Amino acid sequence: MKLSINRDLLLKAINLVVKAADKRHRFAILANIKLVLEEGFLTLTASDLELELTTRFALPKDGCIQAGSTTLPAEMFFSVCKSLPEEVVVIDAPEDTTHCIITSGTGRYTLSCLPADDFPTIGTATPLSVIKISQGNLSSLIHHTRFAMATQDVRYYLTGMLFDIGENTLTAVATDGHRLAVAHRLLNETYAPNQVIIPGKAVAELERLLIELAKTVDDSNIVELGFDAEFLQVGLVLKDEDTDNEITVKLSARLIEGKFPDYRRVIPANNDKIVLFNKDEAVDVLRRISVLNTKEEPGVLMNFDTTDFCKVGVTNRNLGEAEEMLGVNYSGDAIELTFNEAYLRAVLNVLEGEVCLELNQPSSPALIYQVGDDLHRYVIMPMRR
């Protein structure tokens, strides 16, 4: 395989797939990126056998010097390409060799390579259903819920995001058992009800790809999500503004098996204590007072005993105490409860303007949402004191 390519185009293509590579996998080749060079096209693939990212784009007439394929260490390949001195990069991996030579200007780099034929595939999916949603709505769904996913949990399904497909609604749900985030978006077509759990890494990569897509197309661009019993598949077309090339990106992810909790039963409906406050003011108070929080003592105490103010306090046995007053509009009996400050602030960071906090008992789940917004609901469990 021998290739001549624009460095910036190559970097963009590598950047789109590199995070799917896994250098800690028991298969060493999965730390590599697979390159397949055809007449007129280059395809890059990275995978950890749970998530696979593939990008394909056209080359200029003289780009393909000799068709072929190889695999290169993902992180090292990316680092080398970022450091190259010239715009034109030549990648030469002769057949039946264990080394690839990368040249640019006066620079010459040699990387170990492994045979492309040994690179495993995640599998071929045949989507049984395809959901169409605007790029802006899909990106917003993920942004408003992803922070609530568990990072590590024996209940593996909590490390993913539930996509609950209704007849004309797509609902994204994430929870780690301490907090719950739910977001809805209307769809323009009618679909058969279905639920799938998308792994956290795939959710993060899909959001990253959507952010890249937003740089070249408007929010109304339609994205197709294909599902079968085992896989999610998403195809996107990005434009490289510098070279005017179109880059096709395909994301394939193995869905998580398991029964996701019934999120509707978690959302409280009988909270009788209502708090209204400004999101920005609350975030500022939490940011200042959290300097006394630690991983061992993450709680912030909120005391509601007047209609106009909430006492917000932190007590740390080793560092000291802090208290601030947050202006609120409160109705209900006096109540005092403790929240994990980071969990509370993460919810507020995806809201705007006036926020409503509904409470019941010091140990009961609290409901948070933006006033006038019916698309997003958040639940946080108070901490035990």
Side-chain angles (χ1 to χ4, degrees):
M1 183 194 91
K2 192 170 184 179
L3 162 71
S4 176
I5 188 172
N6 174 276
R7 182 193 61 187
D8 292 339
L9 177 59
L10 178 60
L11 279 173
K12 178 165 284 190
I14 297 172
N15 185 53
L16 290 172
V17 302
V18 67
K19 291 192 176 180
D22 185 359
K23 65 181 180 182
R24 294 168 295 184
H25 202 282
R26 61 191 178 93
F27 295 135
I29 198 170
L30 291 177
N32 287 16
I33 289 177
K34 179 181 177 181
L35 294 81
V36 177
L37 178 62
E38 308 165 78
E39 189 66 42
F41 288 94
L42 178 64
T43 303
L44 305 182
T45 302
S47 172
D48 62 2
L49 294 185
E50 298 296 327
L51 169 69
E52 183 176 281
L53 291 173
T54 299
T55 181
R56 175 181 168 87
F57 54 94
L59 295 170
K61 189 179 300 183
D62 57 351
C64 177
I65 301 171
Q66 182 179 351
S69 60
T70 190
T71 75
L72 296 173
E75 292 184 5
M76 184 59 66
F77 182 37
F78 195 26
S79 297
V80 166
C81 290
K82 284 192 290 186
S83 67
L84 295 176
E86 299 291 339
E87 287 299 313
V88 177
V89 179
V90 175
I91 301 173
D92 185 9
E95 193 174 350
D96 299 326
T97 185
T98 59
H99 292 87
C100 173
I101 300 171
I102 302 173
T103 56
S104 176
T106 59
R108 176 186 170 94
Y109 299 79
T110 301
L111 297 181
S112 297
C113 56
L114 293 171
D117 290 344
D118 294 343
F119 195 88
T121 179
I122 194 174
T124 302
T126 305
L128 302 177
S129 61
V130 177
I131 307 303
K132 296 180 180 179
I133 184 172
S134 73
Q135 171 259 323
N137 278 342
L138 181 57
S139 184
S140 181
L141 275 177
I142 296 173
H143 169 71
H144 281 89
T145 53
R146 184 165 78 90
F147 67 88
M149 289 189 301
T151 53
Q152 289 183 328
D153 200 295
V154 293
R155 299 164 295 180
Y156 188 59
Y157 50 83
L158 294 187
T159 65
M161 177 178 292
L162 175 71
F163 271 17
D164 186 1
I165 304 161
E167 287 190 356
N168 62 349
T169 306
L170 178 59
T171 301
V173 186
T175 181
D176 60 4
H178 304 287
R179 51 189 171 167
L180 172 78
V182 180
H184 310 277
R185 290 296 182 276
L186 290 176
L187 302 172
N188 292 328
E189 299 180 21
T190 300
Y191 300 97
N194 190 20
Q195 288 191 346
V196 296
I197 307 174
I198 303 172
K201 184 175 179 179
V203 172
E205 286 305 295
L206 178 56
E207 182 179 35
R208 188 172 70 92
L209 292 176
L210 290 170
I211 291 171
E212 288 295 322
L213 181 64
K215 296 176 182 178
T216 58
V217 301
D218 62 42
D219 284 353
S220 62
N221 180 71
I222 298 299
V223 175
E224 295 186 351
L225 306 175
F227 301 98
D228 63 12
E230 190 176 0
F231 291 102
L232 159 72
Q233 278 194 347
V234 186
L236 304 174
V237 179
L238 285 67
K239 196 160 191 175
D240 179 36
E241 294 177 322
D242 296 326
T243 62
D244 209 33
N245 267 35
E246 284 191 345
I247 303 175
T248 301
V249 185
K250 185 176 78 171
L251 179 150
S252 300
R254 195 179 303 276
L255 298 174
I256 294 177
E257 296 182 6
K259 178 69 174 175
F260 203 86
D262 185 351
Y263 62 92
R264 297 178 184 87
R265 297 180 59 184
V266 178
I267 301 175
N270 60 346
N271 288 356
D272 58 354
K273 301 172 180 62
I274 309 298
V275 191
L276 299 175
F277 56 89
N278 179 270
K279 169 257 176 136
D280 290 331
E281 293 177 4
V283 168
D284 285 344
V285 167
L286 292 174
R287 176 178 50 79
R288 291 194 297 267
I289 207 167
S290 67
V291 296
L292 290 179
N293 283 130
T294 61
K295 184 178 180 180
E296 293 73 24
E297 298 187 51
V300 55
L301 180 68
M302 305 186 76
N303 182 289
F304 301 93
D305 61 4
T306 68
T307 58
D308 299 326
F309 291 95
C310 165
K311 294 178 184 177
V312 184
V314 170
T315 300
N316 187 299
R317 287 166 292 183
N318 298 318
L319 301 177
E321 299 180 357
E323 183 178 279
E324 289 221 22
M325 304 296 286
L326 172 65
V328 301
N329 185 342
Y330 177 67
S331 60
D333 296 334
I335 187 173
E336 186 176 77
L337 68 172
T338 300
F339 291 110
N340 182 304
E341 185 275 334
Y343 291 175
L344 181 58
R345 188 155 32 135
V347 171
L348 294 177
N349 281 338
V350 297
L351 303 180
E352 298 293 340
E354 190 174 34
V355 173
C356 181
L357 172 63
E358 296 185 6
L359 308 170
N360 192 314
Q361 299 296 326
S363 59
S364 300
L367 178 65
I368 307 178
Y369 55 90
Q370 186 174 307
V371 174
D373 178 4
D374 295 328
L375 297 177
H376 308 95
R377 288 294 183 267
Y378 302 92
V379 177
I380 298 183
M381 287 300 300
M383 295 177 64
R384 294 180 180 179
R385 299 173 57 189

